[in-house]
Amino acid sequence: MAPDDDQEQRRQPDEGARVAADLAALAARVESLERQLAELHAQPSASFRQTAPPPPRPASSASAENLSAQNVARRPPKPKGSLENRIGSQLFSRIGIVALLVATTLFLKWAIDNHFIGPIGRVLAGLIAGVAVVVWSERFRRQGFSAFSYSLKAVGSGALYLSLWAAFQLYHLLPAEAALGAMILVTAWNAYMAWSQNSQILAAYALAGGFATPLLLATGGNHEVFLFTYILAIDIAAVVLVRLKSWPRLLLGAFPATTAFFIGWYAEYYGVFNVGEPLGITTVFIVLFFLVFILPTIHSPQDGERTKSTPITEIFLPLADATFAALALYSVLHDSHLYDLLPWVAVLFGAFYLGLMRLPQTRVASAVHLSLAVVFLTIAIPLKASGHWITVGWLAEGVALLWVSARLSGPSSEAAAASVPRILRRLGIAALALGFCGLLVQPFWLYYRIDTAFLNSRFATSLFGIAALAASAAIAVRAWRREDADSLSWLQIAGGSIIALNLVAVLACVRELQTAWRPTAGDPEADLQKSLAVSAFLMLYGAGLLAVGFWKRSAFIRWQALILLVFTIGKTFLYDMRDLSQGYRVLSFLGLGALLMAISFAYQKDWLSLREPAPSAESDVPVSNEGADR
């Protein structure tokens, strides 16, 4: 045999030994990794135990093992359930709840029809089944199937409610007090499970069961105190859960249900024959309901981290609660013929919301409460006042709101407090708009017959409106000159107030001129005099307005004057020329022509330097523009 063959035969056992050693080292490393992973799954929070170091291995194997350990340590986040998963786990569970409740109901009916079980046995079977399903659901919750566990709890609670209802309504085995107490225990247990398991869906189940109890135990009688006390207790429990667990969506069930119960009872029993009008008791419950639903909107700053501010508690609930309480009290007082108390109730609401702003609350809730205060005070004006005093009250309120808004706003105001003056400003504009509409329509619904021109309450109301609009314009101009953040809105308020002022002044004087010639209605000569007087007034007012525009260097005022003069020209040529006699035509056109020539001469002479100067070819220095409008 050749020497090379001998060497090859000796090398083969050596290589086999090395391969076997490598396989043994690899098996030892795999066993070590499996042991570490087992310890990680068994005790994730405990520190890893020290294991025997594996046999030496190549550097490439060590890096691969480190990468594998890092991938194990960084587990990917749990993927969000797909649409198929949500349908299978959530939608089908809810449908299953309804199906099982229907099956339970059908089973009870089937047992009743066939007399398989006696009444006591049927009720006990339903109660035992309900309790068993609720207890059984805890096993699935501990295994991580929370949604399915909550579905089973809903089925069990429904079986308990139906069994108690059957014991009371169908078989008369329980008196009303015992059935009510048992249903309250079921509701309380559901609420406790919702609180302890931090489950909003369980709280919703408890709320639904609580409000279903009066319907299940209804006997057709009037039990106002008992019914409203029970509903008030449920509302308090719901508000407590909202404050503790920050579940504002529960209020979307509690408040509408409370409102529906009150409306149903009121329509059925308040003031009907042989029942009477329990004014005091009903009013007390309305106030208590109102105060309970005010609580979610109020919270101290330290609760801000736990209680989330949502549109439900900041906007929807305050507005809905105020509407419910106001309409309920209005209906009670109106049906009790206590009309004189209605405006004072509105004033109390306004004062209450103004005082509520001093309590800790979010900026949005504070703005909503301020808006409600102003709205109730505005409603109190027509409820208490009558005639022209309604218009006067709206105008005074509008001026007061604008003044307060101007005092609160400014360049140095904080951004967090900027919404309050802005809301006041908008409410002031709304009040002024109501007053302005009242000034426009008051001759048609209030003053049917006035024989004395100018010396009457109608013209006095118009003068007050002119003064209020002038004050609003002055307040807005002063605030605009301070260059607030919302200076453009102040400028728009000033412009709108000036336009409304001129319109009210023109209409008021035209009405009084028509009243002065009313006794001579039907006399052609008197009609001509009235038409001439109206045209003369419009020309003089337009000229005076134009003079004010020149004096104040305001193109905005001058444009209003020019529009009024154009209207007067059209009236003179199209209307007066048809009706006036020759002498009156001469006077009308003579006055109009002289006025227009004077205005034209003033513009042509450019006494106020309104024209833009011609560019100079000799110098590029800009010409001063001091005489132009600002």
Side-chain angles (χ1 to χ4, degrees):
M1 182 177 296
D4 295 337
D5 294 337
D6 295 337
Q7 293 177 359
E8 183 69 25
Q9 291 177 359
R10 287 194 300 269
R11 190 182 302 115
Q12 288 178 357
D14 294 339
E15 290 180 355
R18 283 197 299 270
V19 169
D22 291 340
L23 290 176
L26 180 61
R29 288 197 297 270
V30 171
E31 183 181 358
S32 175
L33 287 176
E34 289 179 349
R35 186 166 56 252
Q36 292 179 4
L37 288 176
E39 293 177 355
L40 179 64
H41 285 293
Q43 298 178 355
S45 60
S47 59
F48 293 111
R49 298 176 181 175
Q50 297 295 331
T51 58
R57 55 187 180 277
S60 59
S61 300
S63 60
E65 183 179 347
N66 291 334
L67 182 60
S68 176
Q70 291 177 2
N71 291 335
V72 172
R74 293 197 304 267
R75 294 184 179 179
K78 187 178 181 180
K80 184 179 180 181
S82 62
L83 178 61
E84 176 187 356
N85 185 33
R86 290 197 298 270
I87 292 176
S89 63
Q90 299 179 14
L91 180 61
F92 285 176
S93 68
R94 292 178 173 87
I95 298 176
I97 292 172
V98 177
L100 290 176
L101 290 177
V102 171
T104 303
T105 306
L106 293 177
F107 170 76
L108 291 176
K109 183 178 184 301
W110 179 68
I112 294 171
D113 294 339
N114 293 275
H115 304 284
F116 290 151
I117 311 174
I120 299 178
R122 300 164 191 170
V123 173
L124 290 178
L127 293 176
I128 294 173
V131 173
V133 170
V134 171
V135 174
W136 186 43
S137 67
E138 285 297 303
R139 177 182 179 184
F140 291 96
R141 186 181 66 84
R142 286 192 295 269
Q143 293 177 355
F145 301 100
S146 299
F148 187 69
S149 172
Y150 299 152
S151 302
L152 290 178
K153 285 184 174 65
V155 173
S157 300
L160 292 175
Y161 281 116
L162 289 174
S163 300
L164 293 173
W165 167 78
F168 171 71
Q169 290 282 15
L170 295 180
Y171 308 126
H172 307 288
L173 298 176
L174 293 176
E177 293 78 7
L180 176 64
M183 289 187 178
I184 291 177
L185 287 177
V186 176
T187 303
W189 175 249
N190 286 331
Y192 172 74
M193 287 192 299
W195 175 78
S196 61
Q197 299 177 12
N198 197 25
S199 172
Q200 187 174 0
I201 188 66
L202 283 182
Y205 292 156
L207 198 65
F211 280 107
T213 298
L215 299 177
L216 296 175
L217 300 180
T219 58
N222 178 21
H223 307 285
E224 179 188 6
V225 176
F226 180 80
L227 173 65
F228 288 160
T229 302
Y230 174 78
I231 294 177
L232 185 65
I234 296 180
D235 292 337
I236 292 174
V239 169
V240 170
L241 283 177
V242 169
R243 293 297 300 270
L244 293 178
K245 294 294 186 179
S246 185
W247 294 336
R249 284 184 291 181
L250 292 179
L251 299 172
L252 296 179
F255 182 80
T258 302
T259 304
F261 270 103
F262 180 83
I263 293 175
W265 173 87
Y266 189 87
E268 183 72 20
Y269 295 109
Y270 191 85
V272 298
F273 182 71
N274 288 334
V275 174
E277 300 170 350
L279 174 63
I281 297 176
T282 306
T283 303
V284 169
F285 277 111
I286 293 173
V287 174
L288 290 177
F289 288 138
F290 171 72
L291 294 178
V292 166
F293 287 110
I294 282 289
L295 294 177
T297 64
I298 307 299
H299 60 83
S300 56
Q302 56 267 24
D303 293 337
E305 298 181 356
R306 248 183 1 182
T307 305
K308 295 190 297 183
S309 299
T310 64
I312 297 176
T313 57
E314 291 181 343
I315 300 175
F316 166 75
L317 187 63
L319 295 178
D321 191 28
T323 303
F324 161 73
L327 292 179
L329 288 176
Y330 178 85
S331 301
V332 169
L333 295 177
H334 185 273
D335 292 344
S336 301
H337 308 289
L338 299 174
Y339 308 108
D340 294 338
L341 296 179
L342 293 177
W344 298 111
V345 170
V347 172
L348 286 177
F349 270 112
F352 174 80
Y353 278 110
L354 288 177
L356 198 63
M357 294 178 59
R358 301 181 64 87
L359 298 179
Q361 56 197 287
T362 63
R363 181 169 54 89
V364 176
S366 177
V368 171
H369 291 158
L370 176 61
S371 304
L372 289 172
V374 176
V375 167
F376 278 113
L377 293 177
T378 305
I379 293 174
I381 293 174
L383 289 176
K384 181 62 178 176
S386 60
H388 61 278
W389 290 111
I390 298 176
T391 304
V392 170
W394 280 335
L395 291 171
E397 180 184 8
V399 175
L401 290 174
L402 287 182
W403 179 78
V404 174
S405 176
R407 290 291 300 271
L408 294 178
S409 61
S412 59
S413 59
E414 299 179 358
S419 62
V420 174
R422 190 179 301 115
I423 291 175
L424 287 175
R425 192 180 314 157
R426 293 173 181 173
L427 293 173
I429 294 172
L432 287 175
L434 289 174
F436 174 71
C437 293
L439 292 174
L440 294 182
V441 304
Q442 60 177 341
F444 305 102
W445 65 275
L446 184 58
Y447 303 100
Y448 298 100
R449 184 74 179 179
I450 293 179
D451 297 328
T452 305
F454 296 101
L455 300 177
N456 54 68
S457 58
R458 180 184 64 187
F459 188 66
T461 305
S462 299
L463 290 179
F464 183 85
I466 293 171
L469 293 171
S472 301
I475 293 171
V477 169
R478 190 176 297 108
W480 170 67
R481 287 176 179 172
R482 292 203 307 266
E483 298 181 356
D484 295 336
D486 296 331
S487 58
L488 181 61
S489 63
W490 282 119
L491 192 61
Q492 293 171 349
I493 293 173
S497 299
I498 292 174
I499 294 175
L501 183 153
N502 290 322
L503 185 59
V504 170
V506 169
L507 292 179
C509 292
V510 169
R511 289 169 185 163
E512 300 306 319
L513 291 175
Q514 292 176 347
T515 301
W517 269 272
R518 181 176 295 167
T520 59
D523 185 359
E525 187 70 16
D527 292 339
L528 294 176
Q529 293 176 0
K530 180 180 68 173
S531 181
L532 180 61
V534 171
S535 299
F537 164 74
L538 293 178
M539 286 188 291
L540 292 176
Y541 192 89
L545 196 60
L546 190 63
V548 173
F550 282 129
W551 173 44
K552 292 293 185 181
R553 299 182 180 273
S554 173
F556 177 72
I557 298 178
R558 291 197 303 271
W559 270 108
Q560 296 180 64
L562 292 176
I563 292 173
L564 182 58
L565 289 174
V566 169
F567 175 79
T568 306
I569 293 171
K571 179 179 180 299
T572 301
F573 280 95
L574 300 178
Y575 183 80
D576 295 347
M577 189 175 179
R578 180 189 62 182
D579 294 333
L580 294 179
S581 61
Q582 191 68 26
Y584 286 127
R585 288 180 183 177
V586 172
L587 291 177
S588 178
F589 282 97
L590 181 62
L592 179 62
L595 177 61
L596 294 179
M597 289 299 293
I599 295 172
S600 176
F601 182 75
Y603 273 100
Q604 290 179 16
K605 294 293 290 184
D606 196 21
W607 286 339
L608 298 176
S609 302
L610 300 178
R611 297 177 190 166
E612 295 182 359
S616 175
E618 299 178 357
S619 175
D620 293 336
V621 178
V623 181
S624 176
N625 197 23
E626 294 180 358
D629 292 336
R630 289 181 296 175

